[in-house]
Amino acid sequence: MATARKRPRPDEDTQAECPFSVAHPDPNERDKKAKRRRQESEDPPVPKISLQASPFSPLGKFKDVNNTMDRYYQVHPYQKWMDMTRYNSFVLNGVKYYSEGFIFVANSSTIERQKNPGESRQSRQKSDDDWVARILEIRASDEHHVYARVYWMYWPDELPQGTQEGKKSIRGRQSYHGQNELIASNHMDVINVVSVTAQATVNQWDETNEDEVQQALYWRQAFDVRSMELSSALPRCRCNRPENPDKQLISCTNPECRKWLHDDCLVHEALMKTFLRLGTDKPHKSVRVKTEELGSGQRPLSPSESGAAQTAQQSIDVKSEDQGTIKLADVEGEGLSAKADNRLVPTTSGTEPKRKGRPRKSEIQEAVNTKPYEGLFSAVIKDTSPPVVEIHDLREKVTGGEKSWTEPVQCLLCSAEMQ
């Protein structure tokens, strides 16, 4: 059963006050209660349960192929929320934020950064810095009280224990998650807009588009907080692991194959063959053989460029597109963080269940000496035409052979040499 874990609370004097919370009642239960109330008394009508259609449509799949990530919700206190005017946008320190747009939201780390403006730091990339959210709805009662209902974007590091990815139970960042990668979710909250620090540029990444380059924050997977399930990502290579856009992929040049292969899988294969051939004490001696000149076709490489999102200043002002313009009072103190109670990260209680029975022999072998060549050999793929893998002998006590040489790169699936 999933439980909720609260984020660390920021200092009270830096917390943006938000009197609203979000509940997710069962609409069927609401109908039963409403019927009983009509029969028993003349109490006020039961608050309406709304359905939020998910703005995210991941290309990957959930176990339930009909899962749309749509979610029923109520904002409490209901009447206070509904009495406020709904807006399509608001302006914060001269920057206009729209409903359906992405935003950076301050947390306690943001406050510390603002207290030390001269401290050098990297661009917004980590979960210990600003949070990222997508605005679903904007409401305000006056210039001092402006709120946004949002869906949180997760940094991969925030995936809780018990997250289901296919048949696996995972936690946190996986090897295929890029540095600028986010995960869409249906985790809903209401925040005070004074905790917004900047606009965010977040794109959906289509893994099937081999020419697409990621210039900003991006997402490809979605996390359903109800089932703790992560949508699938496109498998690549012989290992069937997804692509990490920060790392290189190499495409097989065989017209009948054309599969994308991980650079590190190709290097691992070359090092394993070298270790099996030379072991710990046999020197490498090249065998000179005449070979036909290989074609000059250049191997295609995977695009993997990442960038930073836009930044903006902070203060306050609100505009609507259908209700005129509301001038908001200036806010004293910048960078107020979102209410920590709002940022809930689902987790599972207890530990991961133990697997029954003895482990397979193959599992024991994988756990021991997965990379027996470590410390003995190293390798790197050289971007030449045709590509080659350059291998280095690190064994200091082995003499009488070459310490560096190159070998052709072979496809892990069809075994053809890369051209």
Side-chain angles (χ1 to χ4, degrees):
M1 183 68 182
T3 58
R5 178 170 63 85
K6 294 183 179 180
R7 280 298 195 98
R9 253 185 114 78
D11 296 336
E12 292 297 332
D13 59 346
T14 61
Q15 181 177 311
E17 180 183 358
C18 182
F20 298 101
S21 62
V22 178
H24 299 279
D26 185 338
N28 296 324
E29 289 296 322
R30 191 281 307 264
D31 294 340
K32 293 177 183 178
K33 291 181 180 180
K35 185 176 180 180
R36 286 198 299 268
R37 288 187 178 185
R38 285 196 299 268
Q39 294 174 347
E40 298 173 1
S41 66
E42 296 183 358
D43 290 342
V46 179
K48 178 183 177 182
I49 298 177
S50 301
L51 177 64
Q52 174 63 57
S54 176
F56 304 114
S57 297
L59 299 179
K61 304 298 182 184
F62 292 100
K63 289 181 182 178
D64 180 1
V65 295
N66 297 316
N67 186 352
T68 62
M69 291 185 63
D70 296 349
R71 202 168 188 198
Y72 289 99
Y73 73 95
Q74 278 181 342
V75 178
H76 295 158
Y78 176 79
Q79 200 55 51
K80 184 175 181 179
W81 175 258
M82 297 303 296
D83 286 344
M84 293 193 297
T85 305
R86 185 170 181 170
Y87 294 90
N88 290 333
S89 62
F90 66 90
V91 174
L92 192 61
N93 196 29
V95 179
K96 194 170 188 178
Y97 299 89
Y98 291 93
S99 182
E100 300 302 324
F102 290 96
I103 53 175
F104 286 110
V105 181
N107 58 28
S108 55
S109 295
T110 312
I111 305 306
E112 289 301 316
R113 187 183 73 242
Q114 291 178 345
K115 289 179 180 178
N116 300 281
E119 183 179 344
S120 61
R121 68 180 196 90
Q122 297 178 344
S123 58
R124 292 182 170 100
Q125 295 171 341
K126 300 179 180 179
S127 58
D128 59 359
D129 207 335
D130 296 350
W131 294 324
V132 182
R134 178 163 179 162
I135 300 174
L136 302 171
E137 181 182 8
I138 301 165
R139 287 183 180 266
S141 58
D142 56 45
E143 66 272 20
H144 299 286
H145 302 88
V146 185
Y147 305 95
R149 184 168 57 86
V150 301
Y151 264 161
W152 291 112
M153 305 293 289
Y154 280 47
W155 296 98
D157 312 80
E158 297 177 302
L159 288 173
Q161 182 176 349
T163 297
Q164 296 299 310
E165 182 185 33
K167 297 180 180 180
K168 297 187 301 181
S169 179
I170 65 170
R171 177 181 182 179
R173 179 177 294 272
Q174 302 302 297
S175 61
Y176 60 84
H177 287 137
Q179 189 175 27
N180 286 344
E181 185 159 0
L182 291 163
I183 296 170
S185 84
N186 53 3
H187 181 172
M188 186 186 299
D189 271 324
V190 176
I191 63 171
N192 190 322
V193 300
V194 299
S195 62
V196 175
T197 61
Q199 292 176 334
T201 300
V202 183
N203 301 318
Q204 183 175 6
W205 177 29
D206 181 358
E207 295 175 276
T208 63
N209 184 355
E210 296 171 355
D211 296 325
E212 186 174 350
V213 178
Q214 298 307 314
Q215 299 288 358
L217 298 175
Y218 63 91
W219 70 276
R220 56 176 154 174
Q221 293 176 288
F223 178 60
D224 190 337
V225 298
R226 297 166 299 185
S227 60
M228 300 280 287
E229 187 181 357
L230 189 64
S231 66
S232 63
L234 183 65
R236 300 284 194 182
C237 194
R238 184 177 65 182
C239 65
N240 284 324
R241 288 183 293 123
E243 174 185 357
N244 182 330
D246 298 338
K247 297 181 180 180
Q248 181 173 259
L249 281 188
I250 299 176
S251 176
C252 176
T253 53
N254 180 359
E256 297 180 0
C257 181
R258 295 292 186 186
K259 298 297 184 182
W260 288 96
L261 308 168
H262 296 112
D263 181 280
D264 55 352
C265 288
L266 291 167
V267 167
H268 173 75
E269 182 75 4
L271 288 172
M272 284 298 296
K273 288 181 178 179
T274 300
F275 176 78
L276 292 174
R277 180 168 58 88
L278 302 179
T280 59
D281 55 3
K282 188 183 298 184
H284 170 77
K285 295 181 179 180
S286 296
V287 178
R288 300 185 181 278
V289 180
K290 289 186 177 181
T291 59
E292 294 182 0
E293 184 176 353
L294 297 175
S296 59
Q298 178 69 31
R299 62 185 171 91
L301 300 178
S302 66
S304 30
E305 294 293 332
S306 57
Q310 299 175 352
T311 58
Q313 301 175 343
Q314 162 131 354
S315 111
I316 187 156
D317 197 329
V318 171
K319 290 186 180 179
S320 86
E321 299 195 351
D322 54 358
Q323 298 290 337
T325 301
I326 297 181
K327 176 70 175 180
L328 272 80
D330 292 336
V331 176
E332 295 183 3
E334 297 184 342
L336 296 181
S337 64
K339 186 177 180 182
D341 291 351
N342 288 349
R343 179 69 172 182
L344 304 179
V345 180
T347 60
T348 54
S349 57
T351 58
E352 193 174 339
K354 294 183 179 179
R355 297 175 61 181
K356 296 182 179 180
R358 293 187 305 170
R360 296 192 304 270
K361 184 178 180 181
S362 60
E363 293 176 337
I364 299 176
Q365 291 175 342
E366 289 173 358
V368 180
N369 288 337
T370 304
K371 296 181 179 180
Y373 51 77
E374 283 189 333
L376 303 175
F377 304 95
S378 66
V380 62
I381 293 181
K382 306 295 288 186
D383 188 9
T384 58
S385 181
V388 294
V389 56
E390 186 176 83
I391 301 173
H392 298 275
D393 190 342
L394 308 177
R395 302 168 300 171
E396 295 180 356
K397 296 182 179 179
V398 177
T399 60
E402 298 181 45
K403 288 297 183 180
S404 178
W405 67 94
T406 62
E407 294 181 0
V409 178
Q410 290 185 321
C411 176
L412 302 177
L413 297 172
C414 71
S415 299
E417 286 191 9
M418 301 286 190
Q419 300 300 314

